[in-house]
Amino acid sequence: EAEARLAFALKATLGTMKTTYSSWVLHLTHSALFIGCSLIPSVYGQINTGACDLTCPPVANGMVIESLCPGDTVESTVSKKVYDVCHPAPNLAPSTIILDSFRASGHVTVIANYFTGCVAGRRESGVFAHVAQRVHDKNPKVNFIVSLKGGGACTRWASKYQNDASAYSSSGDVPTTMPLTVSDDSYEIRDYFFTHPYPHPSYIVLDENMEVAAKFVGPCCGKIDYFDCSATEASALDGQLTAKIDELLTSYESVEAPKETTAPPTSKPSGPAPASSTPVFDAPVCEVGNFSAWSPCSVTCGEGIQFRWRAVDVRSDGVPSITKSSSAAQLCESTVEKRVCTGSDPTCEEQCIPEFGETFEIDVVSSGFVSPRDVAFHPTPGMHLKDLSEGRKFHPDEGEEAWVLNGGNHSVSIVASLGSSHQTTFSRRDRGYYHYMINATALAFNSVSNSNRAPDQDSFNYWAVCNDNRNNYLGSKEDNFFMGPTLYNSKPNGGNLVNRLGETCNPAEPCHFLHSDMLHEAPACIGIAHDPELKTAYGTVYWAFDATGDLQNGQLVRFDFQQPHGPGSMDHSVAAVRRYPEVKLHRGPPGGHAGMLVHADRRELFVVSPGDGTVLVIDADSGSFSRTAREEYPIFSNRLPSFEYSIYECIHQHVFASGLENPTGLALSSDGARLFVGELGGKILVYEVSSGALLKTVESQFSSIGGMSFSLVSNQLHFVDSNSNVLAAVKPSAACDATPESRLSPDFVDFMLDASSNLDSQHGDGFFSLYRDYECAVD
């Protein structure tokens, strides 16, 4: 309802808008969008009020958020972690740091929390760099670290901050060895040391035992833009920092440390920061070696690929060889070339697939749905319904639990105790389903139970839906494109379920889902997959198929909800959204589902593109920041710097399968060896993941297959069919006589490992890829 009021207020504030997305792009800048938001502070006041409450632990919506506070000690899992230093250069500073290396007598460690861009924190970054170099020069036991994130090249932004510092020095000196800047792209440092909603820009001072001695915000806190905070205001950080450091040094009885109190800087920048002093070299000169012989064919039968590779050396006048730089090597001619080949046997015989067996049956296991689009299995059956919900009794310890997404009535049907005598179906939807669950077409759970994340941050058992709608509130309003994936916590307590009045729901009354977060950068979203990565603090990374894209092609979007705002909140200021416009996607018929999944071991994302009959595979960890997305895609969730909205380019991708007829669902075998692809017309195709070879094709006798998923215990393939409104399962009746033989050529694997070893040793781990565009350079 609040989202609806926001949209209506925007319309009234900005005047009559045309209904197409392109007209919004032409007429609506993000500044105008959030001017509109500022007119309704009761709805979105958190977006731009910039509160600077120093309460630790911080409080959000009346709930205390666990956080590192004065008196706490940094956990060993954090203090022993290795962080890469992007700036200063390796010849001036260590290339990596471990906080435990600063756990020594008389040491002080200061960490700063900054975001890239022309934000208020940048005013303070120059002061911080100036103080860092000055204090460290006088007392080398005091070290300074910057957590930098928000998109952009870490080295480039860090060098700007260093250059800004010259204006705060009477001699105009530019810091060279301090501070140590860490590229915090995964927000690990931010989420541990400065857990939201602790304000920004902010600082933490650690003593010799890694105990928090002080935690505070800078003078530009509460301001958004670089020009909102004057240089005079920012310079007050000098006194704040040195006072905290001097106080701690004085407390070390065994250390006679010099006091570091300082007068305000003698000169201050009054306008934009001066140009970076980073040296500029001539364009690189590429020296390429001879190509290797062609590799063996990748498959033992049917069609595959061959490749050959060559070494690349990059030099620049007056600069030593920089062959270690993978980005520099990308500017050269192609490092890897490929061509189509045929295995020793031109045709392949179908193999027995364990999930189908020698013989099988496809049974309807549940029915009565309303245009079902997707199915997923809850990783903890019984958690949500327990043994009593809405006055109905359930048996949480029996059977499995399938969640079926109904596009026809915007709800989720929970098939509880599936496969047992107590099987029953129960439906539930969001109280504001017309926005948060409208035409929901895809559903994904976080099923990573052993992530070792902090219990208060782990999002295991959360789930998200993708909404195939441009936010028109069931057709009652014009499309405003403020739409994207919705995140939920499947635990029934903690405000995650409410009654019709929005109050806490008791087990005897009708209940509704209450979302934990929502982001708004994928209108008309038809596919979603959880990323089982283990790097982020909360594990709330989801990939989505944005069918709107640039109005010509759909696009791949990566949503990191980071710390969910929780039920009842409207704060969307903490997230990272990354668009990949080079991944061109095409939707199929209206109401269609597009399967997506992430192969955890291979770190590969598989995406169905129904409109062109393909399945794409993408290296989930590839791609580089290109630029902000806020100008080209001006409708987004939040204006604050803690909300990252970026365009990434040069992602590694290729077509895994083609020539399909309206592909829909995707599912992965439990051993990760086989990919199952459903076609809308009823076929199920099975591919070997390692070779891409088609192993088997099955006719299901259904006419509108949607989402697919394997049950977690019985390991049976399940899929929904929208025309018949059923959930069906493939049940083998006779096991295979033998284990399927891989069609990946062992000789090809050996050749590939040799190429990888040579190129990775020359340019760094991960440089070699058969599907990388070696000539791609980010714009």
Side-chain angles (χ1 to χ4, degrees):
E1 293 155 322
E3 298 272 8
R5 292 199 300 273
L6 168 64
F8 301 154
L10 284 173
K11 185 178 174 79
T13 302
L14 300 173
T16 303
M17 306 293 294
K18 295 179 181 178
T19 59
T20 63
Y21 179 77
S22 58
S23 68
W24 279 73
V25 172
L26 290 172
H27 295 99
L28 177 61
T29 67
H30 69 266
S31 298
L33 175 63
F34 285 97
I35 288 172
C37 292
S38 69
L39 296 178
I40 45 173
S42 61
V43 178
Y44 261 37
Q46 301 134 297
I47 286 178
N48 56 6
T49 54
C52 286
D53 185 356
L54 302 187
T55 302
C56 196
V59 178
N61 300 313
M63 298 179 60
V64 175
I65 308 298
E66 290 191 34
S67 184
L68 197 67
C69 296
D72 294 338
T73 301
V74 178
E75 296 174 3
S76 60
T77 53
V78 176
S79 65
K80 296 181 183 300
K81 183 176 177 60
V82 178
Y83 296 100
D84 292 329
V85 175
C86 76
H87 195 273
N91 62 319
L92 297 173
S95 58
T96 61
I97 55 171
I98 300 175
L99 291 179
D100 260 2
S101 63
F102 304 131
R103 191 194 297 267
S105 177
H107 276 66
V108 176
T109 306
V110 185
I111 303 176
N113 176 31
Y114 291 139
F115 293 90
T116 60
C118 295
V119 297
R122 184 178 168 189
R123 280 288 195 196
E124 294 186 16
S125 63
V127 181
F128 185 80
H130 166 67
V131 173
Q133 189 69 69
R134 189 189 73 229
V135 172
H136 181 77
D137 286 347
K138 292 185 177 180
N139 188 341
K141 291 186 177 182
V142 184
N143 292 279
F144 296 78
I145 299 169
V146 171
S147 157
L148 187 62
K149 57 269 172 193
C154 179
T155 302
R156 180 178 300 172
W157 280 106
S159 66
K160 288 180 182 291
Y161 298 162
Q162 303 286 85
N163 207 64
D164 289 352
S166 64
Y168 292 94
S169 168
S170 57
S171 59
D173 293 338
V174 175
T176 55
T177 61
M178 280 283 150
L180 305 174
T181 301
V182 173
S183 180
D184 196 16
D185 280 348
S186 61
Y187 295 81
E188 293 174 274
I189 295 176
R190 193 278 308 272
D191 288 336
Y192 181 78
F193 289 96
F194 306 98
T195 310
H196 184 75
Y198 199 80
H200 159 269
S202 42
Y203 306 86
I204 199 164
V205 180
L206 305 174
D207 71 7
E208 58 190 10
N209 299 311
M210 286 287 114
E211 181 179 309
V212 180
K215 187 173 182 178
F216 59 98
V217 298
C220 294
C221 181
K223 301 183 179 183
I224 298 174
D225 189 80
Y226 176 80
F227 297 99
D228 292 342
C229 185
S230 70
T232 302
E233 290 176 286
S235 65
L237 177 63
D238 191 322
Q240 284 183 280
L241 283 170
T242 52
K244 302 289 185 184
I245 295 168
D246 285 348
E247 181 180 352
L248 187 54
L249 289 173
T250 302
S251 71
Y252 295 157
E253 296 180 354
S254 60
V255 178
E256 293 185 6
K259 288 284 189 110
E260 269 305 319
T261 305
T262 183
T266 56
S267 61
K268 309 176 184 66
S270 57
S276 171
S277 60
T278 303
V280 178
F281 303 114
D282 294 337
V285 177
C286 298
E287 296 180 2
V288 296
N290 295 323
F291 273 112
S292 69
W294 285 98
S295 72
C297 195
S298 60
V299 294
T300 57
C301 63
E303 186 177 285
I305 63 166
Q306 289 177 291
F307 76 95
R308 60 181 184 173
W309 63 275
R310 61 183 173 183
V312 178
D313 189 20
V314 188
R315 298 180 183 277
S316 186
D317 292 347
V319 182
S321 174
I322 51 174
T323 56
K324 278 285 185 182
S325 169
S326 64
S327 59
Q330 281 180 235
L331 301 177
C332 300
E333 298 176 69
S334 179
T335 304
V336 175
E337 290 186 349
K338 302 185 294 291
R339 69 184 184 187
V340 176
C341 62
T342 302
S344 56
D345 188 342
T347 59
C348 299
E349 295 182 1
E350 280 200 352
Q351 298 190 28
C352 182
I353 305 301
E355 293 78 11
F356 286 95
E358 293 289 350
T359 59
F360 63 90
E361 297 177 349
I362 300 181
D363 294 342
V364 172
V365 296
S366 189
S367 60
F369 305 105
V370 185
S371 187
R373 307 285 173 80
D374 198 10
V375 58
F377 282 82
H378 198 294
T380 310
M383 166 186 278
H384 183 70
L385 296 175
K386 295 189 176 294
D387 55 3
L388 180 67
S389 186
E390 297 194 17
R392 290 177 57 179
K393 292 184 178 180
F394 297 92
H395 298 78
D397 298 326
E398 296 193 30
E400 301 183 78
E401 189 172 292
W403 286 41
V404 175
L405 196 59
N406 296 296
N409 66 359
H410 324 289
S411 71
V412 173
S413 291
I414 303 172
V415 186
S417 301
L418 176 64
S420 76
S421 60
H422 296 288
Q423 177 177 320
T424 185
T425 302
F426 178 91
S427 291
R428 178 167 281 165
R429 65 183 181 184
D430 193 296
R431 181 167 170 262
Y433 66 89
Y434 43 81
H435 177 67
Y436 300 104
M437 202 176 277
I438 183 169
N439 297 330
T441 304
L443 185 153
F445 279 101
N446 176 350
S447 300
V448 183
S449 61
N450 56 347
S451 68
N452 293 320
R453 291 184 169 95
D456 61 300
Q457 295 182 331
D458 195 349
S459 63
F460 173 52
N461 288 313
Y462 276 61
W463 53 287
V465 296
C466 233
N467 304 296
D468 187 7
N469 186 268
R470 292 181 172 181
N471 203 30
N472 60 21
Y473 305 96
L474 294 176
S476 63
K477 301 294 176 183
E478 296 176 352
D479 295 349
N480 64 29
F481 296 87
F482 197 60
M483 174 59 72
T486 311
L487 183 70
Y488 295 91
N489 183 348
S490 59
K491 293 180 181 178
N493 53 2
N496 298 308
L497 289 179
V498 295
N499 60 21
R500 64 184 182 85
L501 300 177
E503 301 167 343
T504 301
C505 183
N506 68 62
E509 64 179 334
C511 301
H512 303 272
F513 297 120
L514 188 59
H515 77 291
S516 291
D517 211 340
M518 186 180 191
L519 294 171
H520 310 83
E521 292 71 33
C525 181
I526 62 173
I528 195 166
H530 176 257
D531 191 329
E533 54 78 33
L534 299 176
K535 196 170 184 181
T536 63
Y538 294 88
T540 51
V541 176
Y542 290 80
W543 296 86
F545 184 137
D546 171 19
T548 299
D550 61 2
L551 293 181
Q552 296 180 355
N553 301 290
Q555 294 177 350
L556 179 66
V557 185
R558 178 186 183 271
F559 291 92
D560 183 358
F561 290 90
Q562 297 184 352
Q563 180 184 1
H565 63 50
S569 173
M570 298 290 287
D571 181 7
H572 301 132
S573 63
V574 179
V577 180
R578 298 172 183 175
R579 303 192 73 90
Y580 298 81
E582 292 171 335
V583 181
K584 301 184 189 319
L585 303 174
H586 307 275
R587 70 172 305 151
H593 165 82
M596 301 177 69
L597 61 85
V598 178
H599 195 299
D601 295 332
R602 298 171 66 93
R603 292 298 300 147
E604 290 178 337
L605 169 67
F606 291 84
V607 184
V608 161
S609 182
D612 58 3
T614 61
V615 176
L616 304 181
V617 62
I618 294 144
D619 182 343
D621 299 320
S622 66
S624 300
F625 173 87
S626 172
R627 57 196 181 275
T628 178
R630 297 185 181 210
E631 295 183 9
E632 295 168 56
Y633 302 88
I635 299 176
F636 52 90
S637 297
N638 197 275
R639 185 187 170 199
L640 289 178
S642 54
F643 177 80
E644 176 196 336
Y645 191 26
S646 304
I647 291 175
Y648 270 58
E649 294 181 337
C650 298
I651 195 168
H652 307 174
Q653 61 171 318
H654 72 281
V655 175
F656 177 82
S658 60
L660 304 174
E661 296 183 16
N662 288 317
T664 54
L666 284 183
L668 189 67
S669 62
S670 59
D671 60 2
R674 291 167 295 282
L675 182 73
F676 294 73
V677 183
E679 287 185 342
L680 184 64
K683 288 183 181 178
I684 300 175
L685 301 94
V686 187
Y687 293 87
E688 183 179 35
V689 170
S690 60
S691 68
L694 177 62
L695 303 177
K696 191 178 186 67
T697 301
V698 171
E699 293 281 358
S700 72
Q701 307 305 314
F702 286 85
S703 61
S704 53
I705 289 180
M708 309 171 69
S709 182
F710 276 98
S711 52
L712 303 180
V713 178
S714 62
N715 194 34
Q716 292 178 349
L717 179 66
H718 289 68
F719 61 87
V720 293
D721 183 77
S722 60
N723 287 344
S724 57
N725 292 316
V726 302
L727 173 65
V730 178
K731 299 181 177 181
S733 50
C736 294
D737 293 333
T739 303
E741 292 184 4
S742 174
R743 291 179 178 166
L744 182 65
S745 164
D747 293 336
F748 176 83
V749 173
D750 290 341
F751 194 93
M752 189 167 58
L753 291 174
D754 181 62
S756 176
S757 175
N758 278 275
L759 290 175
D760 286 359
S761 65
Q762 184 182 20
H763 301 294
D765 291 342
F767 178 74
F768 171 77
S769 171
L770 285 178
Y771 304 107
R772 178 179 193 159
D773 181 355
Y774 283 91
E775 297 179 15
C776 181
V778 297
D779 179 7

